[in-house]
Amino acid sequence: MRKILTLFLLILLSIGKTSCQNRKLKIVYKNDSIENPTELNAAKKYILKKKSINSNFDYSKLDNIDKQNKTESFEPVNGNFTYYKFIATFIGYAYVAPGDSGEHNKTFHDILIIKTNDRNEIVDSYQYTLEWAELPFQYDVFKSKTENLILVDNLDIKLLNLNRTESWNEEDKKSKESGIIKLK
């Protein structure tokens, strides 16, 4: 009887240990297609490029983007959320130094990452322009200040209430971006 009870307890402990462990990050969708840019001053289309489950954000990299590889900062790590990565390809104004005769318009790419809980509520999100060239890079990192928002197709990014993570001017803290999130 004692051996059966010991065996039963060992099985229960084994099941409990297995069920409490984090499951590994799993990419469930990936889209490597190259999108045509939206026209100058048009609303951006944030196209889904990657979705993973059992994920989270790497906050240490997001909070120190100046010391990291910029694109790696937006990749998922193991966690308990669903991760989405979107890219908006668009034509924007490029800085041209006085006296230069270079192109004034350029193709840019905004990256938007969103994590949701099991009810598809947005828990957190970040946006960054991959071609941002001015230091500190952190100045162009925007973080969501929204609550109780469900991630749905055609969601207006203004609802994310994105604000700079680092700002010197309170009047330039809020994102002025316009665009929609495309889940399909």
Side-chain angles (χ1 to χ4, degrees):
M1 178 72 174
R2 192 169 209 187
K3 286 183 180 183
I4 294 173
L5 185 59
T6 304
L7 180 61
F8 179 72
L9 285 173
L10 286 172
I11 291 170
L12 277 177
L13 286 172
S14 176
I15 291 170
K17 183 178 179 185
T18 303
S19 65
C20 291
Q21 291 177 346
N22 277 348
R23 292 170 283 173
K24 290 225 177 243
L25 177 148
K26 180 178 180 183
I27 296 173
V28 295
Y29 177 81
K30 191 167 184 175
N31 171 2
D32 291 326
S33 67
I34 298 172
E35 310 301 328
N36 289 326
T38 55
E39 294 299 319
L40 190 64
N41 299 322
K44 298 174 187 174
K45 291 180 186 170
Y46 289 80
I47 307 297
L48 180 61
K49 294 296 182 177
K50 186 185 290 184
K51 178 181 177 183
S52 64
I53 56 175
N54 307 320
S55 304
N56 204 346
F57 293 165
D58 190 337
Y59 286 100
S60 64
K61 289 183 179 178
L62 289 167
D63 292 339
N64 294 298
I65 198 166
D66 291 299
K67 298 176 182 166
Q68 309 295 329
N69 174 310
K70 291 191 281 185
T71 55
E72 286 179 14
S73 298
F74 295 91
E75 289 301 311
V77 295
N78 284 333
N80 297 316
F81 300 95
T82 301
Y83 161 96
Y84 297 85
K85 176 182 177 181
F86 302 88
I87 300 286
T89 305
F90 63 99
I91 303 292
Y93 294 109
Y95 173 77
V96 178
D100 281 355
S101 61
E103 185 74 28
H104 285 59
N105 298 334
K106 178 180 174 182
T107 300
F108 292 92
H109 302 86
D110 277 355
I111 185 170
L112 173 68
I113 56 173
I114 295 176
K115 76 176 180 182
T116 62
N117 61 20
D118 57 350
R119 295 178 306 279
N120 216 35
E121 291 175 328
I122 296 172
V123 176
D124 207 356
S125 59
Y126 283 82
Q127 180 192 312
Y128 182 77
T129 303
L130 293 173
E131 290 78 11
W132 188 263
E134 295 178 45
L135 291 172
F137 299 133
Q138 195 73 40
Y139 184 74
D140 192 54
V141 177
F142 289 85
K143 181 177 176 20
S144 178
K145 300 268 186 199
T146 193
E147 294 181 16
N148 304 318
L149 183 63
I150 303 292
L151 179 60
V152 294
D153 193 37
N154 293 317
L155 182 72
D156 186 337
I157 66 158
K158 288 184 180 185
L159 296 174
L160 294 176
N161 191 19
L162 294 163
N163 289 271
R164 291 187 194 280
T165 59
E166 191 172 290
S167 178
W168 302 282
N169 178 353
E170 285 300 313
E171 294 171 13
D172 188 34
K173 193 166 188 146
K174 189 159 179 61
S175 172
K176 297 169 183 68
E177 303 291 338
S178 65
I180 56 170
I181 294 171
K182 302 298 288 177
L183 285 169
K184 301 173 188 174

